[in-house]
Amino acid sequence: MSIVSIEPATAERWDDLENLFGPTGAYGHCWCTFFRRRAKDHTASTSCERSMRGVDNKEELRRLTLDGKVPGLLAYDEEGPCGWVSVAPRDDFIRLARSRSLRPADPTEPGVWALVCFWLPPRRRRRGLGSRLLDGAVEYARAGGARVLEAYPVDTVGGRAPSAEVYTGTVEMFQRAGFTLSGHHLSERVVARLELKTE
């Protein structure tokens, strides 16, 4: 199947997002709120607590769409929603500002957007859909007035990593898309940045 369109995840498309993520909320009840919340608001120690936290995470993501925010983009093919990418102004992602391994060198730098997550159903993986979503995220950030798009990919040189470990994308994917890669100023993480030319 080929992608028909990539659309903002608005409140009107909530049912599509909910169906795409399924009952477990994509990655273990996360509902793509991991970077939008402080650690203590997102973690839980028991399976029951994780399940309840998943409900909270889902409601948090739903609330964002009802408040008129766009937490990410949905890809569609002929069968319906088939992929997700979370992209928004960097300030929307509270955890980035507090993270020891991803904290921005200049948190006041204007016009920076961040791409923090991809999610594809297992049967859609390894078909180039992630790269198409990345292209859509670049165009969406540019249209939204971003000056820079930043991401935090995983280096998979030396072998494949489980899908749950590469939810931020791979270094190779961002290299192909023209991003500049550098080491984080406080950690061993890779930071990918793309300067966006706006009209």
Side-chain angles (χ1 to χ4, degrees), residues 44-87:
S45 58
T46 68
S47 60
C48 180
E49 287 173 343
R50 281 194 296 273
S51 178
M52 290 306 297
R53 185 68 69 197
V55 172
D56 293 344
N57 294 340
K58 180 178 180 179
E59 290 306 313
E60 172 73 9
L61 190 64
R62 174 72 168 141
R63 185 189 59 75
L64 287 172
T65 67
L66 291 173
D67 288 347
K69 292 196 173 187
V70 176
L73 307 174
L74 284 164
Y76 290 83
D77 64 15
E78 294 89 342
E79 296 179 358
C82 61
W84 160 262
V85 60
S86 181
V87 59

Side-chain angles (χ1 to χ4, degrees), residues 7-68:
E7 306 291 344
T10 59
E12 293 76 21
R13 294 189 179 96
W14 172 256
D15 288 348
D16 289 341
L17 179 55
E18 185 177 29
N19 290 335
L20 178 70
F21 278 8
T24 61
Y27 295 111
H29 303 287
C30 176
W31 288 93
C32 214
T33 59
F34 179 81
F35 285 101
R36 292 179 178 275
R37 304 177 108 176
R38 298 174 302 171
K40 69 177 184 178
D41 295 331
H42 199 274
T43 57
S45 58
T46 68
S47 60
C48 180
E49 287 173 343
R50 281 194 296 273
S51 178
M52 290 306 297
R53 185 68 69 197
V55 172
D56 293 344
N57 294 340
K58 180 178 180 179
E59 290 306 313
E60 172 73 9
L61 190 64
R62 174 72 168 141
R63 185 189 59 75
L64 287 172
T65 67
L66 291 173
D67 288 347

Side-chain angles (χ1 to χ4, degrees), residues 111-184:
V112 180
W113 283 39
L115 186 161
V116 297
C117 184
F118 294 91
W119 193 77
L120 306 170
R123 68 189 182 95
R124 308 283 190 177
R125 295 171 188 165
R126 306 192 199 292
R127 298 182 181 184
L129 180 53
S131 293
R132 290 287 310 279
L133 279 164
L134 176 54
D135 291 343
V138 168
E139 291 310 311
Y140 180 73
R142 180 181 284 118
R147 188 181 57 79
V148 174
L149 180 58
E150 188 173 273
Y152 319 97
V154 174
D155 193 347
T156 56
V157 171
R160 286 184 177 168
S163 296
E165 293 180 15
V166 295
Y167 65 92
T168 55
T170 65
V171 163
E172 182 183 10
M173 176 193 304
F174 285 93
Q175 283 177 319
R176 285 196 312 262
F179 282 68
T180 300
L181 303 174
S182 63
H184 188 270

